[in-house]
Amino acid sequence: MIIILTCLFITLLISILVMSLSSILAKKTIMDREKNSPFECGFDPKGSARLPFSLRFFLIAVIFLIFDVEITLLLPLAMIINFSNIFTWTITGAIFIFILLLGLYHEWNQGALEWAY
């Protein structure tokens, strides 16, 4: 038990020593305005770095991800056609595609897929 605690203490001490040493050696002492400013093709930035994000674009991206994941859930359906009952396979596929189309219709009906009103 003492050996494990000693090894743990030595490891902790070496880790703290290495982190402290790297922090001291990597410290940049020269504060230059050009080096501290964001690089924008060699020019000073004209506007704020915090631009408003388009909520419309975010909604389209989330809808794309949802349908993309559903398509990846649909792909194994083609792989199991030989291993399952054809009636069960057809009903399962039809229900899954119907749910996808219902979700797409709902998003379209709510106007989430249009860029401008």
Side-chain angles (χ1 to χ4, degrees):
M1 185 69 175
I2 297 291
I3 295 173
I4 294 175
L5 288 176
T6 306
C7 288
L8 182 67
F9 180 72
I10 291 173
T11 305
L12 184 67
L13 188 66
I14 291 173
S15 299
I16 290 173
L17 182 70
V18 168
M19 287 192 306
S20 300
L21 189 64
S22 69
S23 176
I24 291 169
L25 292 178
K27 194 73 132 180
K28 292 187 169 92
T29 56
I30 301 172
M31 294 296 181
D32 189 16
R33 186 179 87 78
E34 293 297 324
K35 288 184 180 178
N36 289 335
S37 67
F39 181 72
E40 192 173 318
C41 299
F43 299 105
D44 288 332
K46 295 186 173 143
S48 173
R50 305 274 182 192
L51 296 175
F53 188 71
S54 172
L55 194 58
R56 223 63 180 130
F57 176 76
F58 178 73
L59 186 62
I60 293 288
V62 168
I63 290 171
F64 170 76
L65 285 176
I66 289 170
F67 282 104
D68 192 41
V69 167
E70 289 174 349
I71 292 299
T72 59
L73 292 174
L74 192 61
L75 284 176
L77 198 61
M79 302 285 280
I80 63 166
I81 191 169
N82 295 331
F83 305 112
S84 66
N85 184 0
I86 192 70
F87 180 73
T88 308
W89 183 85
T90 306
I91 295 297
T92 305
I95 289 173
F96 194 80
I97 290 175
F98 177 72
I99 291 171
L100 279 176
L101 289 175
L102 193 66
L104 179 65
Y105 174 73
H106 176 70
E107 294 297 331
W108 194 353
N109 193 24
Q110 294 295 320
L113 300 177
E114 297 186 19
W115 285 102
Y117 288 111

